[in-house]
Structure formats: structure tokens, C-alpha cells
Amino acid sequence: MKVAFVVQRYGLEINGGAELHCRWIAEHMKKYWEVEVLTTKALDYITWKNHYSQDEEVINGIKVRRFPVTRPRNPERFGRIQNYIFQNEHTIEDELRWLDEEGPRVPSLIRYIKENEARYDYFIFFSYRYYHSYWGIKAVPHKSLLVPTAEHDPVVYLRIFRDWFRLPRAFIYNSFEERKMIQAVSANEDVPGDVVGVGVEVPAVYSKESRPPGLNPEDPYIIYIGRIDENKGCRELFDFFIRFKTATGSPLRLVLVGSTVLKIPSHPAITYLGFVSEEEKFSWLAQSLLLIMPSFYESLSMVTLEAWALEKPVLVNGRCEVLKGQCLRANGGLYYENYDEFRETLSLLAKDSKLREVLGKNGRAYFQKNYTWEVIEKKYLNIIDILERGRKG
Amino acid sequence: MEKEERREKEEEIIINYDAVDVASIMEQIKRQIASRPASEAQDMREKETPVIPPPPRSPWELEPPHGRKAKIKRILLKLTKPLAPFIKLAVFPGHQELRETVLKLHHANMRLDYLSAALEQELAKLSQSLNERIDVVNEALQSRLNLAFEDINRLKEYTKLLHNLSHNMVVEMSKLKIELDTLKTHHRILEKEFRHLEQRERYLEKEISS
């Protein structure tokens, strides 16, 4: 069986989001299927400028076909159009113009899919909101599977997606909340699908004693791992954490790991460590009291799964339905929806080591039941099996 | 500091470590927060009220054309302004305008549907949070009333006891008064007897000496 994974960006340099999700799935599924990746030449997700020069290359044993982006995104113009369509009366044409502006515009990729449809049994598209998925699925609906990686933002309510969500042969959702949201928007309950997500790999070797630089051995700390961005709730996290420190005088410190697009407040209890290696990331996560995940929009938080894989509890933003749902299903962490709840939950977790231990263990059990690679691979195989039986039957 | 002290005095969160239930912990935390005085919560809410950004302008409006071409275009537009309705009529067939209007109305309807659904959702949320708060206040009030009623009942019993006690004391005092009167009478009789015995003694002494 030959399966093409279609994604907006692909490469070893991309270390997060749907792109990493796609690479991991492709690399794990290549032992069952003949796998190819169809993607763009872009690396930067803000402008989609062509970065890779080669049309074809092999990455970790997988053939990657790259197609050029014909027009990079103008972020300022795109921002204005996006604000306009989210807040004003507009037409389907406006939404299509928004999709065009959002990009990455790769008409040659869509052409390739149309012309070479017969060479592939299935196309698995990642990220519903981009050009490649929208036009790609329209080109080969009967062979397409969609991993929407949808977050609960206004994009999902655009009219262009309402009927379009009924086109793919099957859906591979990241969470129950995502499935519920897409079904509510498009009434696509009759399209087969399963909640799958992605597996997480913990490095075989990482130091269990190394601590983040700049922290004393006895300093208790909480850790945030990911892009430091307003959309990820980091500004609110800084505000809440500084207020928490002032109000309670707690010795807790906040350690930030990841690239930043936001000014980090200068506060003695906030330590920014930038982008670090996987080993360092896991070492520091293992040493922390808990992982904090302040994001408003997540379709699946991989770092939350990583924390649970290490038996660490999490404290998440309850306004993100997916994160809240995961905490409730796993009994692996608490959540907050305002400053009062942030203060109370963080104080409780900081002082109650037994609670942290039990939540961490619950998280680990949930992770092993749902997010080990054996489980994920089995679910993918099962979905394809259902489609194959339907085709033959 | 006072607020922090009060918080410390609040009830502990009950956690069953053998079967931790996040939903129940969160419910307890929410109840604890909701039961705090309204002024404190109001302070917090004021701090957390988001600033609503002004509605955006059309992206096409935001990009005013510039350059020589644009200048000529502007002048031409100005000159032909009085004839605009006729030009429009000539350029756009009537049915197209009608279609556009219907489409716009359709979109307006859809937007209204969306807004009313959003409003309903917000109202439902608001009413839920209000109900939760009312429940909490009711519970707190009920527990305080129960305590007050218990105190009143206890005081009633105490008053009854005091009443009985004073009644018994009055009876006892009356008895003592009667007893005292009796003893006084006895005393008087004894004094008389004593005086009589003295007289008798003096008489007998005289008799013996004579």
C-alpha cells in the first residue's frame, strides 16, 4: 500500500506542531506502508518563503517531494484580512481570499496530486486550515484522510470548511473535544474517524539529576516548554505568576524553555533558558514540580503527554477545552480559568507532594493506555483497514 | 495579608489519594473561591476584564492607493460622482445587484444566527455561574441560620431553667422566712422561760438564806 502524507512543512529542523506530528507518524508507519511525503519548500511558517532548494530528498528513509510556494505570505496584509473576516460580514469569496493569503500557495502540489492520484492508495492531509489541505482534499476526496489538528478558534467556523469537512473518507482526530467541535460545525458524524493523536518518545538516556542553570539545588520550580508566544497564553502566565509570587511569597520559580516571540518580563523568579536539547528538556522536566501549559488553543499538547510519560503532573489553562478534557480524563493534572483558580491550584500542587505524585502516576497510566506508539500505529492501521473493507465490500 | 490569613483558615480541600478525582478537586476549589466575599472577587474581576479592541476597518480601506495613477483615478472619480448611479446602472445589471443584496441579507442572517447563538451561550454561562454563586451563598446562609437557631434553642432552654430556679428560690425563701418567724417565736418563749427561771432562782436563793 502506498500512502502520501501531505503537510505544509517537513524537515528535521521543524520541532513542533502538526509538522512534527506528521513526521513522527510517517516515520512510524513506513514499516507497514510505502510512505512518501508531499510538502512545500517553505521553512518559515509566517511567510512561507521557499527555503529548501531540492525538489526531492530522503529524510530518515522517507522520500520527500517538495513543491515551491508561488507567493510568500504578507503577514501584515494577512492579519488585516483575517481580522476583517472574523469580525465583519463577508462572503465565501472573502474567505477563499483569506485562504489564499494564508497560504502556503502551492498550486504545483495540488496539480501533482491530481495528476498522480492513481499512484497512491491514500493521501493523509495534516492541518485543515491551510491551502494544501483545502484544495488537496477537493482534488482527491475519495482517497483522502484528514488529521485536522483543529483548535477552537474562529477559523473552524468559516463557511468554506462547513461542507468541506464532509469530503474526506476518514478523520484522524487528536482529541474527543476536536471531534465534537468539528462534528458540531459540519454535522459530519457519518464520516468515519477515530481519536488517535500522536505517540511520544522519551530519550533512552537523560540525566535525572541535572538542574536548569541559574537555579539552586533546593529551589522548587515549575516549567513551561514550548514557543513563548501570546497565543500560547504566555503573557497571561507571566502576569498570573508574578501576582502569585507577590500575594503568596512562595519560593516557586518559573523556568521557560523554547524559542520566544514575546518579551519576557525581568523578574528574579522567572528563568528563560531558550531552545535546548531533548536530553536537557527531559532532564529539567523530570526535576520540576510540574509542567505548566497556559495555551488557549491546542488540538493536542505533545509536551503534556511528555510530562505524563515522566509521571509529572500538569497545570493547564482550563479555557482550552482539549487540555481541560485531557486532565479530566487522565486525572493527571489540575486546570485554571482565572487568576484565583491559578493561585489556588498552584498553591495546592506546590504544597501537596502526594497529590503531585498521584496525578503524575495517573498521567503516566493514561499515556500508556492511549499514546504509546503501538497504540497509535494500531489505530492508523485500523482506520485504513476499515476503509479498505468498505472499498472491497 | 488579612485576605491571605482568611484563606488559610478556609476549609481544607478533601482529596482521596487512593482515587484522585480532578473534577471533584476543581469543584471544591471553585466553591472555595466562590464563597469568598464579593468585594474581593470584584477586585479580581476588575483586574481581569479584557479590553475589547475597536472593530477593524476593511483591509481594502486601510490601503489607500498612492502614486500618479491613483491621483488621476481619484480626480476622475470625483468628476464622475454625480453620474455614479447611472454608471452603476449601466455597468451592473439589475439582477446582479439584487443577487448581491440577497446574498448580503443571507450573510447578515447567518451572522445574526451566529451572534444570537453566541449570546445564548454567554447567557447560559452567566446564568450557570450566577446559579452556582447563589447556591454557595444559600448554603453559607443556611449553615449560619442553623447555627443561629441552635443558639436560640439553647438560650430558650437556659431561660426556662433560670425561671424554674428563681421559682424554687422564692419557695425556699418563703420557707426560710416562716422558719425564721417560728425560731423568733421560740426565742421569745425561751427568753420568757429564762426570765421566769431567773425569778424562781432568786426566790429560791432568798428562801435558802432566810
Side-chain angles (χ1 to χ4, degrees):
Chain A
M1 177 164 306
K2 191 167 182 179
V3 177
F5 284 79
V6 191
V7 67
Q8 61 272 25
R9 297 183 299 158
Y10 194 88
L12 298 175
E13 303 87 340
I14 301 157
N15 45 30
E19 294 89 339
L20 181 64
H21 180 168
C22 172
R23 181 159 70 78
W24 282 356
I25 298 287
E27 286 173 2
H28 276 87
M29 298 314 291
K30 75 177 179 198
K31 59 187 168 212
Y32 304 105
W33 310 323
E34 190 187 336
V35 169
E36 258 188 34
V37 172
L38 310 179
T39 185
T40 69
K41 289 188 174 180
L43 175 64
D44 177 12
Y45 71 95
I46 294 175
T47 61
W48 306 118
K49 268 184 195 156
N50 289 318
H51 169 82
Y52 300 97
S53 51
Q54 286 175 296
D55 290 338
E56 281 182 29
E57 64 177 309
V58 175
I59 297 176
N60 289 343
I62 295 173
K63 186 172 186 176
V64 181
R65 291 178 193 273
R66 294 191 185 278
F67 298 86
V69 176
T70 53
R71 195 182 71 196
R73 183 203 282 171
N74 175 344
E76 211 178 297
R77 185 176 163 81
F78 170 65
R80 283 200 303 266
I81 292 176
Q82 177 153 291
N83 278 345
Y84 180 77
I85 68 156
F86 286 169
Q87 295 174 37
N88 290 278
E89 207 46 60
H90 61 269
T91 62
I92 296 273
E93 286 70 30
D94 291 333
E95 290 185 3
L96 289 173
R97 196 181 312 167
W98 166 85
L99 185 72
D100 243 28
E101 286 290 337
E102 189 192 33
R105 274 171 60 93
V106 271
S108 53
L109 168 62
I110 308 303
R111 223 169 20 248
Y112 175 86
I113 291 174
K114 270 184 201 162
E115 287 165 6
N116 295 278
E117 180 195 331
R119 289 178 55 201
Y120 301 93
D121 293 292
Y122 292 102
F123 293 86
I124 303 183
F125 290 87
F126 278 76
S127 299
Y128 79 100
R129 58 186 294 157
Y130 294 116
Y131 181 99
H132 71 283
S133 288
Y134 186 80
W135 295 112
I137 288 178
K138 282 211 163 189
V140 283
H142 51 287
K143 281 192 176 181
S144 59
L145 286 90
L146 177 62
V147 184
T149 63
E151 295 152 357
H152 201 165
D153 60 11
V155 175
V156 83
Y157 295 102
L158 292 182
R159 287 195 293 273
I160 52 171
F161 295 119
R162 205 175 294 169
D163 293 331
W164 180 81
F165 277 135
R166 291 187 217 116
L167 291 181
R169 282 287 308 281
F171 271 80
I172 298 162
Y173 297 102
N174 271 341
S175 66
F176 293 96
E177 289 76 19
E178 186 190 35
R179 179 167 69 183
K180 195 176 154 196
M181 178 179 71
I182 290 180
Q183 288 182 345
V185 166
S186 62
N188 71 342
E189 290 86 350
D190 52 331
V191 181
D194 196 4
V195 177
V196 182
V198 67
V200 166
E201 273 168 9
V202 179
V205 185
Y206 66 90
S207 163
K208 286 183 181 160
E209 272 153 34
S210 106
R211 288 176 66 82
L215 264 74
N216 295 323
E218 68 280 5
D219 282 344
Y221 69 91
I222 60 173
I223 193 166
Y224 167 77
I225 300 171
R227 198 171 73 239
I228 298 158
D229 190 342
E230 188 156 4
N231 285 341
K232 294 278 176 189
C234 290
R235 195 185 290 280
E236 186 185 80
L237 171 64
F238 299 150
D239 176 35
F240 283 4
F241 185 71
I242 291 169
R243 278 165 72 186
F244 168 79
K245 289 283 293 182
T246 315
T248 63
S250 158
L252 266 188
R253 298 188 64 166
L254 171 64
V255 170
L256 306 166
V257 170
S259 54
T260 180
V261 289
L262 188 69
K263 193 172 178 295
I264 296 164
S266 163
H267 190 282
I270 299 178
T271 308
Y272 172 57
L273 297 171
F275 196 79
V276 299
S277 69
E278 283 290 287
E279 288 74 23
E280 283 173 320
K281 181 180 93 177
F282 278 96
S283 298
W284 299 342
L285 178 57
Q287 290 283 307
S288 66
L289 293 190
L290 57 95
L291 172 89
I292 187 140
M293 181 39 70
S295 180
F296 292 93
Y297 303 115
E298 289 291 328
S299 75
L300 173 78
S301 168
M302 288 192 204
V303 75
T304 301
L305 300 180
E306 286 172 348
W308 283 339
L310 298 188
E311 289 193 11
K312 283 284 148 194
V314 295
L315 177 60
V316 304
N317 188 341
R319 282 165 286 179
C320 175
E321 290 151 0
V322 171
L323 292 174
K324 182 177 169 181
Q326 278 183 325
C327 278
L328 287 169
R329 277 192 298 277
N331 276 319
L334 303 184
Y335 53 87
Y336 62 89
E337 290 172 15
N338 50 46
Y339 170 67
D340 275 348
E341 290 178 15
F342 177 84
R343 185 188 57 226
E344 296 306 318
T345 48
L346 187 54
S347 301
L348 179 65
L349 285 167
K351 75 174 181 203
D352 194 339
S353 59
K354 195 165 181 198
L355 176 63
R356 289 201 305 273
E357 189 190 324
V358 178
L359 290 174
K361 282 194 173 137
N362 286 348
R364 168 90 183 160
Y366 180 74
F367 162 78
Q368 283 185 318
K369 192 181 166 198
N370 298 289
Y371 295 102
T372 56
W373 276 112
E374 296 82 62
V375 177
I376 302 291
E377 288 166 12
K378 215 170 158 184
K379 284 186 175 177
Y380 266 84
L381 292 173
N382 192 36
I383 290 169
I384 294 288
D385 193 40
I386 290 168
L387 295 184
E388 281 295 283
R389 269 186 277 142
R391 194 160 71 169
K392 283 168 191 163
Chain B
M1 286 304 285
E2 206 177 286
K3 285 174 192 171
E4 294 302 321
E5 279 167 20
R6 193 170 51 241
R7 253 170 235 143
E8 276 168 23
K9 281 179 202 162
E10 280 169 355
E11 273 180 50
E12 285 279 305
I13 306 274
I14 299 158
I15 301 166
N16 175 7
Y17 292 100
D18 295 328
V20 163
D21 181 14
V22 167
S24 137
I25 295 173
M26 287 309 303
E27 199 181 315
Q28 290 183 64
I29 289 174
K30 279 173 192 279
R31 289 175 88 85
Q32 207 175 62
I33 292 167
S35 65
R36 280 181 195 149
S39 59
E40 200 181 319
Q42 185 63 35
D43 288 349
M44 294 297 167
R45 239 172 276 132
E46 274 168 15
K47 279 180 190 168
E48 283 160 21
T49 306
V51 180
I52 300 164
R57 290 159 61 199
S58 156
W60 298 280
E61 269 176 40
L62 289 174
E63 282 181 349
H66 45 79
R68 204 171 161 191
K69 230 176 174 180
K71 205 175 169 186
I72 295 167
K73 199 177 168 187
R74 270 204 303 276
I75 293 166
L76 279 173
L77 277 173
K78 216 174 175 181
L79 288 172
T80 55
K81 208 174 178 183
L83 305 169
F86 302 107
I87 295 169
K88 217 175 167 187
L89 201 65
V91 173
F92 289 113
H95 73 276
Q96 194 172 333
E97 271 200 10
L98 193 66
R99 272 187 62 200
E100 273 180 11
T101 312
V102 169
L103 201 63
K104 272 183 190 162
L105 284 172
H106 175 60
H107 290 157
N109 273 337
M110 287 176 88
R111 182 123 181 108
L112 278 175
D113 287 349
Y114 166 75
L115 285 174
S116 69
L119 187 68
E120 265 173 34
Q121 208 177 356
E122 283 304 311
L123 281 174
K125 266 188 205 167
L126 196 68
S127 108
Q128 195 191 348
S129 82
L130 266 176
N131 282 341
E132 275 172 15
R133 203 158 171 80
I134 288 168
D135 285 350
V136 169
V137 170
N138 261 346
E139 259 180 42
L141 203 65
Q142 196 56 49
S143 68
R144 282 185 192 181
L145 277 174
N146 287 344
L147 280 175
F149 277 124
E150 271 175 28
D151 275 351
I152 288 170
N153 287 339
R154 206 168 42 242
L155 281 171
K156 260 167 121 179
E157 290 301 313
Y158 188 63
T159 316
K160 263 187 205 168
L161 282 173
L162 279 175
H163 179 77
N164 283 344
L165 181 68
S166 50
H167 173 75
N168 290 345
M169 279 177 79
V170 168
V171 172
E172 286 304 313
M173 293 284 281
S174 310
K175 278 184 187 169
L176 282 170
K177 177 83 172 71
I178 293 163
E179 192 75 13
L180 181 69
D181 288 348
T182 315
L183 284 170
K184 273 182 181 170
T185 314
H186 279 183
H187 180 247
R188 272 198 304 273
I189 293 166
L190 281 170
E191 265 182 347
K192 274 181 187 171
E193 275 183 10
F194 189 69
R195 270 198 303 273
H196 173 72
L197 282 171
E198 269 181 349
Q199 281 173 359
R200 210 173 153 193
E201 187 192 356
R202 274 195 301 272
Y203 176 76
L204 281 172
E205 274 176 359
K206 273 182 190 173
E207 280 294 312
I208 292 165
S209 58
S210 63

